[in-house]
Amino acid sequence: MMLLRRAASAAALLVTVLPLTVASPAQASPVQAAGGAAACRPPSSVPLDAEQSRLADPRTTALVVRAGLGDFIRRFPAALCTARSRAEAERLLDSWGQALWQASVQRAQSRRPGGDLAPGDDRPLYWARLGMTAALARWQPEFPADRPALRARFEDASRGLTDNAFRTAPGVRRIFISGFDPFGLDAEIRRANPSGSAALQLNGRRITLADGTPAEIRAVVLPVRYADFDAGMVERAFAPHLAAGPAQADIITTVSQGYPGIFTLEDWAGRARSADPYPDNARALSGGTRERPVTAPGLGPGPEFIRTTLPAGAVTAAVQTPYPVLLNSDVTEIPAGATAPVDRTDGPTPGSRAVAGGGGGYLSNEVAYRSNRLRAELAPHLPGGHLHTPVLTGLPADAQQLTGPEFERNESAITAEVRAVLEHAAVRR
């Protein structure tokens, strides 16, 4: 398993109804707000960030248009120009972000028309969101605006962090999961992320657990960016579902893409970042290496390693097709009193410093650590852990072909098995 992790690390290393609470292009032109007053100056030529710069590849636009989400990008600049104050801008970004999320969920679940791409494809949401944040970056309002704060609002809303609560129903178990955006896009811009696809396809779904109990799933899709983790996005996503009250989940698990051909339940999450020189989607580095791991900024107090409390034995005994599901107890640590990292296949030793958990030293490990550190603080009785999916393969050899039958079959099979894992993991014990 340790060799698998290193190999995988090296290889990887609009809508039917637009927001009703804001003006649409039918109500206001890109340069005119209600009442005829200019709402914003001509768009600026500010440089886009590293992630947004990939929008120059026309295949990114094609993914959005072929999913039926093109109106979001086309109409968003005009909507921005209807905002005449910071408060209006905040409401607008909340509304458009939530509309993009809901449209993507409905499309993934075949509840709205979605072009000719497979419904479960997670890439259109990713590229539509980036196109809209690029428009936000170029927007020049006629009032002072805290652009980073406004983008953060839009990011949260378009990722399922807002207006995505469990429905209240007696006897229904509540499952909260997270997936991730596509990543490794400088090597292959067509890449998808099966964890994000699973999140979209399962969000809001009612399922029946292995013991016959009904359950509801709620999901978010997180960015592959260190800066957003530093700013507390994981904690913002999970805290409402861990605090006592009607929004509390009965089980949580983070999900990300892992190793070729297998699912793994990660036994241990490590406190450290150690993935450099592999960058995030913004081409930023963590600052930590295998020899010199670092602790993420803003990370609350906790142990060097946190162990899963998911029922790994029950899951691995029941779910093995079409992909094997294994418990992965690999870690990398610096033993107490030592200075060099050591790989272990049986978990950490007392007093050691974390270098990498079963999920490595990248953001998939960190989302597991952050969410379960918070779970241990707020709801230690709840099961929680991390699930790695197989690597999603099957893209056509022709780089201009965005999808293909094998790719779509594999994406559907992975989501179906994520659901099967949850159906066994969430049984009350």
Side-chain angles (χ1 to χ4, degrees), residues 188-268:
E188 171 56 89
I189 204 162
R190 297 177 297 164
R191 280 182 177 153
N193 194 321
S195 69
S197 175
L200 290 172
Q201 292 185 66
L202 296 175
N203 183 65
R205 290 278 196 185
R206 286 281 178 88
I207 64 173
T208 302
L209 304 183
D211 65 354
T213 303
E216 180 182 343
I217 302 170
R218 289 288 163 175
V220 294
V221 176
L222 299 172
V224 184
R225 295 190 298 247
Y226 288 112
D228 295 78
F229 276 49
D230 295 347
M233 180 177 278
V234 174
E235 289 78 4
R236 291 201 306 278
F238 279 86
H241 302 292
L242 291 170
Q248 187 180 67
D250 295 301
I251 180 174
I252 66 164
T253 186
T254 51
V255 187
S256 66
Q257 181 175 243
Y259 311 109
I262 60 172
F263 275 86
T264 54
L265 285 166
E266 303 304 336
D267 203 3
W268 298 92

Side-chain angles (χ1 to χ4, degrees), residues 37-58:
C40 54
R41 299 183 295 274
S44 70
S45 57
V46 298
L48 300 179
D49 64 30
E51 196 169 19
Q52 293 162 343
S53 69
R54 298 188 186 99
L55 293 164
D57 189 312

